[in-house]
Amino acid sequence: MVILDAHSASKPPLQVIDKLLVVVIGLVVGIVVATIGSIEIKWSLFFLCIIFGAMLFIVSPFKETILTFGFFFLLPIGLNYHPILIPARDFFKPIVGVVIYGYDIPLFFLFMLLLKRLCSIERKDIDLILPVSIPFLLIFMSAVLGSPRIESPTVIKFWSLVTVFKCFLTFLIVANSIRTKDILKFIFYLFLVSVFFQAFICLAQIISGSSLGLGFLGETETSVETVTAGSKELLRVGGSMSKNALASYLSFIIPINFALFFTKIQLRTKICFFLPVILLAFTLEILTFSRGAWMGLAVGGTLTFYGCICRLSGRKVLSLFFVSIVIVAFIVLILALSESVRQRLFEDDYGSAIIRIPLMINALNMILHNPFLGVGLGNYTSVNQHYDIFQWISIVFPWPVHNDFLLIGAEMGLPAMLSFCFIIVVVLFKLLQTAFQSKDDLLGYTAFALIGGIVAFSIHHLVAYVYVMLNTPFWSFMGIAFALIFIDRRERKKDSAEETGKIPQ
């Protein structure tokens, strides 16, 4: 890892950044005053959020903390604004214009604060996290070099690259903005509270049997879907997200919730708050009826459970035996109690699962013909028919391959896919070190939770896609992972200094 120190290079004066922020806030207020009476409620709320965030930034002495909380609060809420919208007519496209999400507001101000820290004369270190940054920038360069191949307007090509780079900045901003254990714990609690919000929307979707028209919260018509399992139809719900997006989100939240049971938190809090949340989260995960998410959570959740029990007892073999019995019993109980789960897993899905195999074969064919730069980011469906060795899959199922790893390889090349895999391995390895070496219960147990979440996501997206290189929530969790690692590193350094009687630098 490389550290940038505030004294390492000449910096522009802090006043420049402060003035820039004032200009930005002034422009935003001007836009709101000029347009708020003539636009949809969705956009009005969006602009009001900008003003609210700007006011907090100006008046609060805890700017970074409040902005961080605001970012994670808005993360599962798809409040967005399209200054430029160019809907794809013939093929699915992950980017259809310039889009600004609600969480981009606090993210922008966090970025400005990060720049201010770099410019400060005080000693404020920024970690560039080179083991992740270098492969990520290689992926970005692959996207840039492959952009001439994209069959889309220039603005979409440009915004696709902007979104990839924004994910990189999100990772660095989150990793360097969460600097204390208390802030980290509060963010975990914020995630758990968000489960109640999603549960409320999902319940309303189930009762109505359709989406609720909450477009300003990110809900779309596809947030609710009916799937056939055998002779019956099952209603899949996604809350304020899509079904798979909610399932992926919960695959991170459930292990965190579970790991917090092992920390030194009041029993009353665990019973009155953690227990209802985990029951709700499991219920929502089932109601998404995402089999890939179920499979991922089964593996990732088991890893989290085993790691927590192992850390608690210090007995690896005995812990493995105990966890195996509990997990098997839990799966049998779910299958016995839920007919819908049995139908989704074992009844005829009319080719929904098996079609993923020819999709993957076509993606491999695409990689074989374009091994270095791929066919261009977001360009998969535009050229899929040229690589369809079955000569019918691209017509019957005109969607990207349901495998995020192969999708990266097909659109950005093998080097980009291998770089992404390397990032996953690096993060898991460093989390594993922290999980076993940390002396702090909160950090140690939640490190296992993040391991479980990343593994669950990776397994789920072997059979699903979210365009992970364009997915800000995923890179936010990766940033949390490194924030946790940095906090633990500082805690151990502090403890070591206290033991030796030296003041930590």
Side-chain angles (χ1 to χ4, degrees):
M1 296 182 186
V2 169
I3 305 291
L4 285 184
D5 186 80
H7 302 289
S8 62
S10 60
K11 307 290 192 302
L14 296 179
Q15 289 82 357
V16 173
I17 295 177
D18 290 334
K19 291 177 181 178
L20 179 60
L21 288 173
V22 172
V23 170
V24 171
I25 293 169
L27 287 173
V28 169
V29 173
I31 292 171
V32 174
V33 172
T35 62
I36 200 166
S38 59
I39 58 178
E40 301 175 40
I41 185 174
K42 176 178 179 178
W43 313 135
S44 300
L45 288 173
F46 176 82
F47 285 130
L48 288 173
C49 285
I50 294 180
I51 294 177
F52 181 70
M55 290 172 58
L56 284 177
F57 185 87
I58 292 172
V59 303
S60 173
F62 308 105
K63 295 179 176 63
E64 191 172 57
T65 300
I66 291 178
L67 289 171
T68 302
F69 293 161
F71 170 75
F72 284 105
F73 173 77
L74 291 170
L75 194 61
I77 302 174
L79 180 66
N80 58 74
Y81 173 56
H82 282 84
I84 300 175
L85 179 61
I86 310 174
R89 295 181 179 180
D90 301 321
F91 306 104
F92 168 81
K93 296 288 185 180
I95 301 290
V96 291
V98 176
V99 58
I100 303 171
Y101 289 96
Y103 53 71
D104 288 334
I105 304 165
L107 185 65
F108 169 78
F109 288 113
L110 284 171
F111 175 65
M112 299 304 292
L113 284 179
L114 204 63
L115 289 180
K116 192 170 183 178
R117 283 170 60 190
L118 281 172
C119 299
S120 175
I121 60 173
E122 300 176 6
R123 189 178 179 84
K124 298 290 185 180
D125 296 336
I126 306 297
D127 200 315
L128 290 181
I129 319 175
L130 290 188
V132 173
S133 295
I134 290 176
F136 203 120
L137 291 177
L138 287 174
I139 295 171
F140 179 70
M141 287 307 301
S142 297
V144 171
L145 294 174
S147 61
R149 303 184 178 193
I150 301 175
E151 299 178 11
S152 294
T154 302
V155 65
I156 290 182
K157 295 181 184 181
F158 173 74
W159 200 252
S160 297
L161 298 177
V162 168
T163 305
V164 175
F165 196 71
K166 186 186 78 172
C167 287
F168 172 63
L169 288 180
T170 299
F171 167 73
L172 286 181
I173 290 168
V174 171
N176 286 284
S177 295
I178 304 173
R179 289 182 281 173
T180 69
K181 192 169 61 175
D182 289 338
I183 293 176
L184 185 67
K185 184 194 291 187
F186 189 90
I187 289 171
F188 288 154
Y189 282 10
L190 204 60
F191 287 150
L192 303 190
V193 170
S194 72
V195 173
F196 288 102
F197 174 74
Q198 296 300 328
F200 177 78
I201 296 179
C202 286
L203 177 61
Q205 290 172 339
I206 292 170
I207 293 173
S208 66
S210 64
S211 57
L212 306 173
L214 301 176
F216 64 93
L217 293 179
E219 186 196 41
T220 65
E221 293 180 1
T222 59
S223 293
V224 180
E225 179 187 44
T226 300
V227 293
T228 304
S231 60
K232 295 187 177 181
E233 292 187 338
L234 304 173
L235 187 68
R236 300 180 64 190
V237 294
S240 66
M241 298 176 263
S242 69
K243 290 82 59 182
N244 282 327
L246 177 60
S248 294
Y249 182 72
L250 292 171
S251 293
F252 279 100
I253 303 304
I254 291 173
I256 290 172
N257 191 344
F258 183 77
L260 288 173
F261 276 102
F262 292 85
T263 59
K264 296 176 181 178
I265 295 174
Q266 289 184 347
L267 181 61
R268 182 187 305 173
T269 302
K270 294 178 181 179
I271 295 174
C272 297
F273 181 48
F274 293 169
L275 186 59
V277 170
I278 201 166
L279 292 175
L280 267 178
F282 267 119
T283 302
L284 293 181
E285 186 82 324
I286 291 173
L287 292 175
T288 65
F289 287 102
S290 173
R291 292 169 295 188
W294 293 351
M295 181 172 59
L297 184 60
V299 178
T302 299
L303 288 176
T304 297
F305 189 20
Y306 172 69
C308 290
I309 293 295
C310 193
R311 178 183 170 91
L312 180 68
S313 65
R315 299 174 179 270
K316 296 180 180 179
V317 177
L318 187 61
S319 297
L320 180 61
F321 179 71
F322 173 74
V323 168
S324 299
I325 293 176
V326 173
I327 292 297
V328 170
F330 179 76
I331 292 174
V332 170
L333 182 64
I334 291 293
L335 291 174
L337 294 178
S338 177
E339 181 183 1
S340 297
V341 171
R342 295 197 303 272
Q343 289 173 334
R344 182 63 170 155
L345 288 175
F346 305 122
E347 295 291 336
D348 187 3
D349 67 355
Y350 300 93
S352 175
I354 198 67
I355 201 171
R356 283 165 168 77
I357 296 175
L359 284 174
M360 293 178 189
I361 293 173
N362 283 346
L364 289 170
N365 187 41
M366 198 177 292
I367 294 171
L368 181 65
H369 285 84
N370 306 275
F372 298 110
L373 295 178
V375 299
L377 179 60
N379 206 40
Y380 187 97
T381 52
S382 300
V383 300
N384 188 25
Q385 66 274 15
H386 302 308
Y387 302 93
D388 184 0
I389 62 176
F390 300 94
Q391 299 184 353
W392 61 271
I393 291 295
S394 58
I395 299 173
V396 174
F397 200 86
W399 300 96
V401 58
H402 282 43
N403 182 309
D404 260 314
F405 296 88
L406 291 179
L407 187 56
I408 293 173
E411 292 194 340
M412 289 184 280
L414 269 177
M417 185 181 77
L418 294 176
S419 295
F420 177 67
C421 292
F422 179 78
I423 291 172
I424 295 291
V425 171
V426 166
V427 177
L428 288 176
F429 177 74
K430 291 188 175 295
L431 279 174
L432 195 61
Q433 285 183 315
T434 302
F436 281 110
Q437 296 176 7
S438 178
K439 297 179 181 179
D440 185 273
D441 278 349
L442 176 70
L443 301 177
Y445 286 121
T446 53
F448 279 120
L450 290 170
I451 290 171
I454 293 171
V455 169
F457 180 94
S458 300
I459 292 175
H460 178 194
H461 290 276
L462 288 172
V463 292
Y465 73 94
V466 291
Y467 274 91
V468 67
M469 299 312 303
L470 304 172
N471 189 260
T472 302
F474 173 78
W475 293 104
S476 302
F477 280 105
M478 298 290 271
I480 288 175
F482 264 95
L484 184 149
I485 292 165
F486 293 155
I487 293 170
D488 180 67
R489 186 173 66 184
R490 288 192 290 269
E491 291 277 331
R492 282 192 281 164
K493 186 177 180 180
K494 181 180 177 181
D495 291 343
S496 177
E498 289 177 352
E499 290 175 2
T500 58
K502 297 179 180 180
I503 300 176
Q505 298 297 317

